[in-house]
Amino acid sequence: MEVYAEYSHAIASLVIFTLIILFMSPFSALAKAGKGLAPGATPEQDYADKAYRLNRAYLNGTETLPAFLTVTVAAILLGGSPFWVNLLASLALLARIVMLVIHLRGIGQPHSGLRSVTYVVGWACMVILGLIALVAAF
């Protein structure tokens, strides 16, 4: 699959992000179970509560993964610039990891602040990846 070798950083970013989300799943479930919550239940909205923050970080990742996967794979399959696809996918992954650490450590405010900045950075990278895919398609 030499044609995809140029996109190794972008592909690795997708795999790493997916593995992070998969790794977080049982920890989120255990934290909720420790609070006596049923599977699928959501802890009370309290940013001081570690179980709530872990669950939010996990859910945020599962909400973001489909968009990240879609725009990155589309940019790769449509032949977007490997430099930009790799850079943007890697930056999106880095922003998501920083956001995860912020969530789990309870750093900053529940709204806005550094967590919002990392969200916007990751979001912007995904929007640009989507635009790269659309430009490559036409």
Side-chain angles (χ1 to χ4, degrees):
M1 303 300 289
E2 285 183 39
V3 68
Y4 300 114
E6 292 181 292
Y7 298 101
S8 61
H9 288 274
I11 294 168
S13 294
L14 292 173
V15 172
I16 291 167
F17 187 58
T18 302
L19 289 174
I20 288 170
I21 301 307
L22 290 172
F23 182 76
M24 288 178 62
S25 178
F27 290 104
S28 176
L30 287 171
K32 291 190 297 183
K35 296 183 74 60
L37 296 171
T42 302
E44 187 176 329
Q45 293 183 352
D46 178 7
Y47 199 65
D49 180 11
K50 289 182 182 182
Y52 171 73
R53 290 194 317 268
L54 177 59
N55 186 62
R56 268 313 308 146
Y58 168 69
L59 291 177
N60 192 273
T62 61
E63 294 161 358
T64 304
L65 182 58
F68 184 40
L69 181 66
T70 300
V71 297
T72 305
V73 169
I76 291 169
L77 292 177
L78 291 167
S81 165
F83 173 80
W84 288 109
V85 173
N86 286 325
L87 177 64
L88 291 166
S90 297
L91 286 174
L93 173 64
L94 181 61
R96 299 304 307 177
I97 291 171
V98 171
M99 187 174 170
L100 173 65
V101 170
I102 291 167
H103 259 302
L104 295 178
R105 305 278 320 251
I107 298 169
Q109 304 293 327
H111 305 288
S112 69
L114 186 57
R115 186 166 50 113
S116 295
V117 170
T118 59
Y119 172 83
V120 170
V121 168
W123 175 86
C125 289
M126 289 185 277
V127 167
I128 296 168
L129 280 164
L131 293 173
I132 288 171
L134 284 175
V135 168
F138 299 102

